Amino acid sequence: MGYLKFDVKGTKQFVSDNELEEIQPTISMADLELRKHTGAGSDFTDWLDLPKNYDRSEFNRIKKAAEKIKSDSDVLITIGIGGSYLGARAVIESLQDSFIQLKDKREFPLVLFAGNSLSGQYLHELLQILDNKDFSINVISKSGTTTEPAIAFRIFKNLLETRYGKEEAKKRIYVTTDSSRGALKQVADSEGYEEFVVPDGVGGRFSVLTAVGLLPIATAGIDIDALMEGAFNAYKDYQDSNIENNDAYLYAALRNILYRKGKNIELLENYEPNLMYFAEWWKQLMGESEGKNQKGIYPSSANLSTDLHSLGQYIQEGRRNLMETVIRIVNPKYDVDIPKVGNDLDQLGYLEGKSLNYVNQKASEAVRLAHNDGNVPVMIIDLPKEDAYSVGYLIYFFELAVAISGYVNGVNPFNQPGVEDYKVNMFKLLGKPGY
Ligand code: PA5
């Protein structure tokens, strides 16, 4: 069922078949609310049909803009925060070479990120490396008023205009924002920048498959047709409301059953270091969608086997409030064999002729058994490959799962009222007029 394999063997000792049967009516109700757009936050559910109903003409403009950036820029500075950058970064880091920044020759521009913190040091260092590089900017903000990207945009726009003059700078600025509202929209209109739209019915954390994610992703040389095709096939595969036929819904069901049993922290784990930012995207998707009304699973992550040597002790024997969701890549793009040497001084003779991926696979099996023994439920997502199609598929899997999961837990998965609270205090401290 579906392109990815969802392996729930590691939940069997924690969740009975009866419990799954009992939660099915609630899942079916959540499915109805979501699909009929009658549930809480239904104004922000347009991501649901996005893989089928996206704006084809804007999609082609995105590809053209990516070509233009490739032709005149060594670097694309992608300015945005939260849902306006994490998706792009997750996809790019999952799919491009881990050492792209050190390559002497690159086929595509380097995509670097700004406006996702207020660190002067980070920005200073980024500005330094642009000294001898041609660059363009993609500034992304749905509201058009978020402080972090607004400050970064002012700084990079200034640099572009000083370096290239106002007219040429204009051709290097790409704005992704609301179709009609916000300060950024006004700036873009008045300056005549090329504009892309964050659709009205798609919230930040669900926006990676819109221009928000697609322009930086395409600029990095990733096949956005394949990304959308993967999402579209997930869209088709996960239509059935029966958890026996829908792994995204089964995942939502299991998380909720486990949460009610006190497993209130979920770790998203991987065995490929390039999935680290995928977990950052997932944490926002899960945390911002479910963490409200003083409830929700706290989303965290671990990179394995690396973190078995740091967090491993806690996972095995610490407080028993954890569950794990593991992403494994069944056929990684590359592999390295462990060489035969003439002696066994390093005591690795038993691994001679085996490959790293083989050892990694065995490590993941050993970890599942150990963690199950340590009373941690483990769900495993086996993704056939790590390519654009597979990542698109996985994105949709998680978006759909969190929507159902949020409804099952009685929250509106599509708002984020708590994100505003710190801003009021910060604006007061900074003396912003009106605060
Ligand atoms: O998911 C969300 O809605 C948020 O994380 C936003 O994406 C984030 O706060 C940035 O907002 P904006 O795109 O309006 O600058």
Side-chain angles (χ1 to χ4, degrees):
M1 180 204 346
Y3 171 73
L4 56 79
K5 187 168 149 256
F6 187 49
D7 175 348
V8 299
K9 275 197 291 291
T11 62
K12 292 288 178 213
Q13 72 197 66
F14 307 90
V15 179
S16 69
D17 289 347
N18 270 353
E19 286 171 293
L20 284 169
E21 270 168 41
E22 279 160 20
I23 203 170
Q24 178 64 60
T26 322
I27 294 277
S28 300
M29 188 76 79
D31 168 76
L32 211 64
E33 285 183 321
L34 183 67
R35 308 248 177 219
K36 298 258 179 244
H37 301 275
T38 54
S42 59
D43 286 355
F44 283 93
T45 48
D46 285 358
W47 56 269
L48 189 62
D49 299 327
L50 197 65
K52 189 172 154 214
N53 293 334
Y54 60 92
D55 179 342
R56 262 64 180 185
S57 84
E58 182 175 72
F59 192 77
N60 288 331
R61 255 190 333 112
I62 290 171
K63 287 187 186 167
K64 285 208 179 86
E67 277 299 320
K68 156 95 167 50
I69 297 167
K70 184 180 171 192
S71 73
D72 64 12
S73 304
D74 305 310
V75 174
L76 174 70
I77 301 291
T78 298
I79 300 174
I81 194 164
S84 290
Y85 102 102
L86 280 165
R89 191 160 190 176
V91 174
I92 292 170
E93 298 213 356
S94 301
L95 298 178
Q96 75 180 7
D97 191 294
S98 303
F99 302 101
I100 190 102
Q101 304 202 6
L102 297 175
K103 295 258 163 166
D104 293 334
K105 280 214 159 62
R106 270 185 296 274
E107 202 187 333
F108 296 95
L110 203 54
V111 177
L112 299 176
F113 295 89
N116 54 60
S117 78
L118 291 165
S119 165
Q121 170 157 339
Y122 177 90
L123 219 59
H124 170 84
E125 289 167 358
L126 183 52
L127 290 164
Q128 297 285 299
I129 68 119
L130 291 178
D131 261 358
N132 56 358
K133 292 186 175 51
D134 280 312
F135 72 102
S136 298
I137 307 174
N138 179 202
V139 55
I140 308 163
S141 176
K142 185 174 170 69
S143 64
T145 53
T146 308
T147 311
E148 292 90 338
I151 294 174
F153 181 45
R154 183 184 269 230
I155 291 167
F156 284 101
K157 175 177 181 260
N158 205 29
L159 180 63
L160 270 183
E161 289 177 352
T162 314
R163 170 122 23 123
Y164 298 100
K166 211 164 159 53
E167 277 314 302
E168 173 60 20
K170 251 188 209 178
K171 298 181 194 148
R172 290 173 174 271
I173 297 176
Y174 302 85
V175 173
T176 308
T177 191
D178 191 86
S179 61
S180 57
R181 288 176 298 262
L184 185 57
K185 170 71 184 158
Q186 278 176 9
V187 175
D189 284 352
S190 72
E191 300 274 11
Y193 299 143
E194 172 142 26
E195 293 179 39
F196 298 95
V197 171
V198 191
D200 282 346
V202 181
R205 59 190 173 276
F206 289 87
S207 69
V208 53
L209 300 175
T210 71
V212 171
L214 295 177
L215 179 53
I217 291 169
T219 303
I222 291 161
D223 182 349
I224 56 173
D225 286 296
L227 189 78
M228 294 305 287
E229 195 196 338
F232 180 57
N233 279 336
Y235 162 87
K236 287 193 296 189
D237 287 348
Y238 298 128
Q239 291 287 333
D240 195 328
S241 67
N242 186 339
I243 55 176
E244 283 180 14
N245 305 322
N246 186 329
D247 283 339
Y249 286 18
L250 176 60
Y251 174 53
L254 284 167
R255 296 174 80 244
N256 273 280
I257 294 170
L258 292 165
Y259 172 64
R260 290 169 195 173
K261 295 181 175 195
K263 307 292 184 191
N264 61 355
I265 297 178
E266 180 180 6
L267 295 169
L268 187 74
E269 297 172 348
N270 63 68
Y271 283 83
E272 292 295 334
N274 62 13
L275 284 172
M276 194 174 103
Y277 255 92
F278 193 87
E280 296 306 310
W281 167 81
W282 174 90
K283 283 194 258 185
Q284 187 205 4
L285 181 70
M286 295 290 170
E288 225 170 68
S289 300
E290 295 191 302
K292 44 200 75 158
N293 304 348
Q294 293 77 51
K295 54 186 179 178
I297 297 166
Y298 181 80
S300 187
S301 62
N303 304 298
L304 307 184
S305 65
T306 315
D307 292 342
L308 294 174
H309 302 261
S310 54
L311 297 171
Q313 171 60 35
Y314 190 103
I315 299 170
Q316 192 65 46
E317 293 184 343
R319 245 188 110 188
R320 301 299 72 196
N321 57 350
L322 304 176
M323 62 176 117
E324 293 176 300
T325 300
V326 185
I327 301 174
R328 292 193 309 198
I329 307 299
V330 179
N331 293 302
K333 205 156 37 160
Y334 302 111
D335 201 356
V336 174
D337 287 337
I338 298 166
K340 293 195 164 96
V341 294
N343 59 54
D344 198 23
L345 290 176
D346 59 7
Q347 299 172 11
L348 288 177
Y350 71 104
L351 291 177
E352 276 187 2
K354 303 272 189 320
S355 78
L356 254 297
N357 289 339
Y358 171 82
V359 179
N360 210 12
Q361 179 73 22
K362 292 293 166 207
S364 75
E365 287 167 24
V367 168
R368 185 217 328 239
L369 292 176
H371 289 182
N372 262 187
D373 285 348
N375 211 7
V376 180
V378 183
M379 295 170 273
I380 297 185
I381 293 170
D382 275 328
L383 206 56
K385 288 190 255 178
E386 202 175 9
D387 58 10
Y389 177 94
S390 308
V391 171
Y393 196 98
L394 192 58
I395 285 171
Y396 194 81
F397 173 89
F398 281 125
E399 288 182 347
L400 187 58
V402 79
I404 294 296
S405 186
Y407 279 160
V408 168
N409 201 23
V411 298
N412 172 356
F414 307 115
N415 65 0
Q416 54 285 327
V419 178
E420 293 307 308
D421 289 2
Y422 90 94
K423 293 184 190 166
V424 176
N425 293 341
M426 179 176 78
F427 291 148
K428 266 189 202 148
L429 290 172
L430 289 169
K432 184 171 179 174
Y435 283 84

